[in-house]
Amino acid sequence: MNGIKTSLVAAMLFLLINPVVLAADIKLELKEIDWELKNGFSTRVWSYNGSVPGTPIIVTVGERVIIEGINHLPVATNIHWHGLILPNDQDGPSRTIAAGAPFRYDFIVKEAGTYWYHSHYRPVLTQVDMGLYAPFIVKAPGDEKYSGDHTLILDDWYLDSTGKRLPGTARGDMERYGNIETVNGKTADGIPPIIVRPGELHKLRLINASTAAYHTLRLDGHRFRVTHTDGHALSKPYITESVSLVPGERIDAEIAATGEVGQTYRLSNERPELGMTVLFKYEGEAVVPPISSPFVAPSSREFPGIDNKSPDFLLELNSSGKMNEVTKNAMPGVQHQGHDMQPGGEMGDMQWTINGKTFPDTEPLKVQVGEVVKVRFWNKDTRGMHPMDHPIHVHGAKFQVVSQNGQKPEREMWKDTINVPAGQYVDVAFVMEEKGEWMLHCHILDHEDGGMMTLIIARPDK
Ligand SMILES: [Cu+2]
């Protein structure tokens, strides 16, 4: 009895001294497994907790997240919390997890939205292509009112008929593209259908984890109401027939269930023959009245006067025909693990540059914490046979898209990854909230590993 009293007192004292913090404890074990993409068809992958995608981390805004784990992979790695604003020393690229080593991350999630986590250890292409990615969902108040809240994480794989990884690329390009496309690690009839009743309102959280492939999705007979881009709640949600996602991008969209009971509708990208199709099956009684949207649009967050500010930095994106060290090292390192995997196509001959240089020789952007910074990404990569778009991703900040090729966007746009089409320029503006060295790079991972990356160095004083 006394023992119980003592431990109760101890517990109360503990609570008095330590304020109660809602904390999510996540355990992650990185390991190599065989993963079934559909019935009877498997491939060797690297995983977080034995699945691809890895264990989804689902938390609420303001929550403290403690992630502990161990790396059982035969290689070093790290984990990047893509899109989250957090202290620099809690983000992947600033700390390496050696093969066999334990790790711990501890941070507070500041903003609701759809994010993801993935390896950022170079060659990043190898690690993400092997399956090291998973959703990171920060729920907002009201999300529980949706009839269904579905995270769909998109990827592609280049495999032979036995599931063995093929070198190179399935398309006649330099980047690594697959011949099999997946939703949540499953392809074709391996993808479970979404069951829908008329009148329901479903939320889709779309994440493009492909290393190079772009995906444009349509849902037969339905339209998307886009509420978030890259985890940012839109001040003006909009309705569209299709949604496009470049590598690294996320879109949250509502689907109003206006179909008919007994019917099935297909959500597919532009290459349904590769297996990226989710069936929406209508079953059961209609919901009357129809579910209305719980989404509350925030007010505008545009930077005042940003249109007229001239860019603080100009980053010219380009390519040239040389090989860099990361690219050279990527292939032997992977072959050593016995996967016969190589980076995409002829990437080994290419160098992808920012202002004529490849990482780590690129010039960093030196900025002050809290100051508004405007950057122009200018894609000069238009030469010859292979003009390339470059989806540019910034760590540690969300940016306002100020203009695209000199035109103000149709509606307010905040993102952490933006496509910069070949020959065009995009102006963005952001504030770094956390000090440290943050990365800025192309999210076509062949290009990132091939040098198209630099640092944003944020200091309290310049
Ligand atoms: Cu690129």
Side-chain angles (χ1 to χ4, degrees):
M1 200 59 191
N2 268 345
I4 293 171
K5 269 188 193 162
T6 314
S7 49
L8 270 176
V9 170
M12 286 169 73
L13 269 176
F14 176 85
L15 286 175
L16 276 176
I17 297 162
N18 302 280
V20 182
V21 181
L22 196 56
D25 279 303
I26 318 279
K27 302 278 182 258
L28 289 184
E29 197 181 337
L30 280 65
K31 55 187 173 185
E32 188 170 301
I33 54 153
D34 287 319
W35 176 250
E36 198 170 69
L37 296 173
K38 63 178 176 184
N39 200 10
F41 183 74
S42 298
T43 189
R44 191 125 271 246
V45 299
W46 289 346
S47 74
Y48 298 113
N49 288 347
S51 65
V52 176
T55 299
I57 296 178
I58 302 169
V59 294
T60 51
V61 69
E63 197 167 354
R64 178 178 174 193
V65 191
I66 297 166
I67 299 143
E68 290 176 302
I70 186 152
N71 175 18
H72 289 309
L73 299 174
V75 293
T77 189
N78 64 30
I79 305 176
H80 169 50
W81 313 105
H82 185 128
L84 293 180
I85 313 294
L86 73 179
N88 186 270
D89 65 0
Q90 297 303 313
D91 198 23
S94 64
R95 43 155 89 190
T96 295
I97 306 166
F103 58 87
R104 185 178 198 271
Y105 296 90
D106 183 348
F107 53 86
I108 290 167
V109 287
K110 290 185 178 176
E111 262 190 292
T114 301
Y115 305 95
W116 61 304
Y117 65 97
H118 62 82
S119 167
H120 215 281
Y121 193 81
R122 301 180 95 203
V124 183
L125 171 62
T126 306
Q127 301 216 342
V128 175
D129 197 56
M130 284 296 287
L132 288 177
Y133 63 82
F136 194 118
I137 307 299
V138 188
K139 295 257 187 180
D143 282 352
E144 74 286 352
K145 300 208 170 100
Y146 287 108
S147 313
D149 188 339
H150 314 277
T151 300
L152 306 178
I153 186 159
L154 317 174
D155 193 11
D156 62 310
W157 307 75
Y158 191 31
L159 308 174
D160 72 11
S161 59
T162 67
K164 192 165 173 284
R165 208 163 279 266
L166 290 164
T169 177
R171 297 190 213 163
D173 299 289
M174 297 181 200
E175 294 71 28
R176 185 164 172 84
Y177 293 106
N179 56 353
I180 291 170
E181 296 190 324
T182 54
V183 178
N184 296 340
K186 301 288 176 188
T187 189
D189 54 11
I191 302 173
I194 292 176
I195 309 297
V196 181
R197 294 160 67 195
E200 286 185 336
L201 185 70
H202 288 253
K203 178 175 173 73
L204 303 185
R205 301 173 185 269
L206 306 165
I207 304 171
N208 185 357
S210 281
T211 59
Y214 289 31
H215 302 286
T216 298
L217 297 168
R218 290 169 187 278
L219 174 56
D220 297 342
H222 296 75
R223 296 193 296 172
F224 302 86
R225 180 172 181 252
V226 177
T227 57
H228 298 68
T229 53
D230 293 349
H232 183 91
L234 300 178
S235 59
K236 288 178 185 161
Y238 64 97
I239 290 172
T240 176
E241 299 284 333
S242 66
V243 286
S244 293
L245 296 104
V246 302
E249 243 181 339
R250 287 92 61 216
I251 284 177
D252 291 19
E254 294 176 345
I255 301 287
T258 51
E260 287 173 38
V261 173
Q263 295 291 313
T264 297
Y265 303 84
R266 292 168 314 146
L267 172 73
S268 291
N269 72 355
E270 61 273 53
R271 299 170 295 275
E273 68 280 6
L274 301 188
M276 188 178 283
T277 299
V278 183
L279 299 179
F280 281 64
K281 285 190 173 173
Y282 276 74
E283 291 177 4
E285 295 271 298
V287 176
V288 185
I291 306 290
S292 57
S293 174
F295 178 73
V296 180
S299 48
S300 164
R301 276 208 237 164
E302 284 188 348
F303 293 114
I306 196 68
D307 294 345
N308 302 320
K309 179 179 162 78
S310 39
D312 301 291
F313 299 96
L314 168 62
L315 304 185
E316 290 192 4
L317 316 171
N318 216 329
S319 59
S320 71
K322 294 179 206 154
M323 185 185 278
N324 81 344
E325 284 308 308
V326 169
T327 304
K328 272 192 229 166
N329 292 337
M331 290 188 263
V334 170
Q335 281 165 346
H336 175 69
Q337 304 305 334
H339 298 292
D340 302 315
M341 196 189 84
Q342 293 172 10
E346 300 156 41
M347 181 196 100
D349 298 319
M350 291 301 293
Q351 219 177 31
W352 303 94
T353 60
I354 296 178
N355 291 341
K357 292 184 175 161
T358 56
F359 187 82
D361 299 325
T362 43
E363 194 70 29
L365 284 61
K366 292 183 178 166
V367 307
Q368 195 172 342
V369 171
E371 77 170 336
V372 180
V373 180
K374 187 169 176 180
V375 181
R376 175 166 295 175
F377 306 128
W378 199 323
N379 186 344
K380 303 264 182 171
D381 199 359
T382 55
R383 304 167 310 137
M385 303 285 287
H386 196 58
M388 279 303 302
D389 289 5
H390 294 293
I392 298 297
H393 170 49
V394 172
H395 293 201
K398 281 187 178 131
F399 49 74
Q400 181 196 335
V401 180
V402 178
S403 65
Q404 293 168 295
N405 233 19
Q407 300 296 312
K408 200 171 165 64
E410 216 177 308
R411 61 185 72 83
E412 184 177 346
M413 223 174 147
W414 283 82
K415 305 190 49 56
D416 59 51
T417 310
I418 180 77
N419 194 47
V420 186
Q424 299 191 20
Y425 65 93
V426 173
D427 288 357
V428 304
F430 55 83
V431 168
M432 299 310 291
E433 291 175 27
E434 297 281 350
K435 65 180 186 328
E437 298 190 350
W438 298 98
M439 285 176 168
L440 179 162
H441 64 89
C442 180
H443 223 286
I444 293 178
L445 298 179
D446 310 75
H447 300 173
E448 175 278 327
D449 287 334
M452 193 174 278
M453 177 150 77
T454 190
L455 293 175
I456 299 170
I457 302 178
R459 295 209 175 101
D461 306 293
K462 241 180 182 175

